[in-house]
Amino acid sequence: MITEIVTFNLSAALTREQVASAFRKSVEVWRQNPDLVRKYYLYDPVKKQGGGVYLWRRLDDAKRWHGEGYQ
């Protein structure tokens, strides 16, 4: 198994509720991914960052779903 942590900057204008709503909209897409074991969503309101922690079966799976730029 491989753990991948992805973070990204959020617009300062987004509220917690808007971020949570966007995350909820993506749940079903990730739930249907056969290579993903589990995903956790990250939210830091102070730094205005979002992200995810992904648990993949193999490194190749992480690369396939998040591109060859994966490090």
Side-chain angles (χ1 to χ4, degrees):
M1 301 245 181
I2 183 84
T3 302
E4 175 188 22
I5 301 171
V6 175
T7 59
F8 49 85
N9 294 323
L10 297 168
S11 167
L14 289 175
T15 66
R16 176 184 172 93
E17 291 76 24
Q18 290 171 316
V19 173
S21 176
F23 286 169
R24 279 192 293 275
K25 288 178 183 176
S26 74
V27 166
E28 198 54 42
V29 171
W30 288 110
R31 185 176 286 149
Q32 293 178 24
N33 187 311
D35 300 318
L36 185 65
V37 175
R38 185 170 302 275
K39 177 181 179 180
Y40 297 95
Y41 291 87
L42 304 174
Y43 174 61
D44 184 332
V46 175
K47 293 181 180 179
K48 288 307 242 182
Q49 286 189 324
V53 177
Y54 302 80
L55 181 60
W56 299 102
R57 297 185 193 288
R58 297 177 309 274
L59 179 57
D60 288 343
D61 297 333
K63 288 180 179 179
R64 181 178 321 111
W65 293 100
H66 280 150
E68 286 302 316
Y70 181 87
Q71 299 182 23

